[in-house]
Amino acid sequence: MCGKMRNFAPDYNINNVNIKKNITLTPAEYIQLKAFARIDGALLSVLWVASFACYIAGIANPIFSMAAMILMFITPFFVGRCLAKFRDVGLGGIISFGRGWGYAVYVFFYAAILLAVAQYIYFAYMDQGYLISSFNNVLASPEVKQLFDQYGVRQAVTESIESMSQLRPIDYALNVLTMNIFVGIILGLPIAALMKRSVSKP
């Protein structure tokens, strides 16, 4: 396919939502975009894995729980910064909305794969039922029982935890993989819109 133009990103069909962008790039431009996105996706995965680790630790320590939320909150800003670097270093300060969106989607895609692998390893070999037992311990506390009973959600929460206990490690990984790719498709739109530039700054 060396002599032809090609699409920068594949079709995504997630939860019956089909999103397709027919932005064509030369083979060299396509390779460049993916190379930058792979590196930045790996960096984003480090951020996400750290957030996941803080989430697990946060079950016992609220400080780690807050850290997990902060790390997830800065995700779009991190990707935006990476996109700006790709634009300025790789493209001479100019990038279209379509190419920026494609780059952002790929960054989320690569990061989602690495996070899914990390989560599979954790739930398959390290968790040993810790997450579910921690949830059950929290639910068993008198304060939480009273709060859930007050809002009438105790039964629903209990059933949700029971459903989670039936999931396999691969189920956790695939669910998070799908969710993060979808989030990347959505968040990539405003990120690309903010970072696009048609004229290079001096």
Side-chain angles (χ1 to χ4, degrees), residues 87 97 189-196:
R87 177 196 64 199
F97 170 80
L189 297 172
I191 293 172
L194 291 172
M195 294 296 112
K196 72 175 182 177

Side-chain angles (χ1 to χ4, degrees), residues 1-175:
M1 200 164 185
C2 295
K4 298 181 180 180
M5 306 286 278
R6 67 186 298 177
N7 289 337
F8 70 75
D11 295 348
Y12 290 99
N13 193 341
I14 301 174
N15 295 331
N16 297 323
V17 177
N18 186 45
I19 299 177
K20 181 178 181 180
K21 292 288 183 182
N22 291 318
I23 307 299
T24 55
L25 301 175
T26 65
E29 290 171 335
Y30 181 72
I31 291 172
Q32 179 200 41
L33 185 147
K34 291 210 302 179
F36 272 83
R38 275 194 294 268
I39 295 172
D40 294 334
L43 295 175
L44 179 59
S45 74
V46 173
L47 187 71
W48 282 358
V49 170
S51 176
F52 176 66
C54 288
Y55 170 76
I56 297 298
I59 297 174
N61 190 328
I63 295 178
F64 286 105
S65 181
M66 180 64 68
M69 290 190 292
I70 292 174
L71 289 173
M72 290 304 297
F73 177 76
I74 66 177
T75 289
F77 303 98
F78 178 84
V79 176
R81 177 58 183 160
C82 291
L83 176 52
K85 183 179 178 182
F86 171 56
R87 177 196 64 199
D88 297 338
V89 176
L91 302 176
I94 298 173
I95 192 170
S96 66
F97 170 80
R99 188 180 295 194
W101 181 83
Y103 162 87
V105 169
Y106 264 121
V107 169
F108 276 94
F109 175 73
Y110 290 127
I113 290 176
L114 294 175
L115 176 63
V117 171
Q119 289 193 332
Y120 175 81
I121 292 173
Y122 171 78
F123 284 111
Y125 304 107
M126 301 171 63
D127 182 75
Q128 302 297 320
Y130 170 76
L131 183 65
I132 299 300
S133 63
S134 297
F135 284 156
N136 285 327
N137 291 337
V138 171
L139 186 60
S141 66
E143 298 83 0
V144 174
K145 283 183 178 180
Q146 182 178 2
L147 179 63
F148 285 170
D149 288 338
Q150 181 179 352
Y151 288 96
V153 297
R154 181 179 173 186
Q155 183 63 30
V157 172
T158 301
E159 291 175 356
S160 296
I161 295 176
E162 290 178 355
S163 297
M164 288 179 61
S165 67
Q166 303 301 317
L167 293 177
R168 302 168 298 170
I170 190 64
D171 296 325
Y172 282 106
L174 290 178
N175 287 341

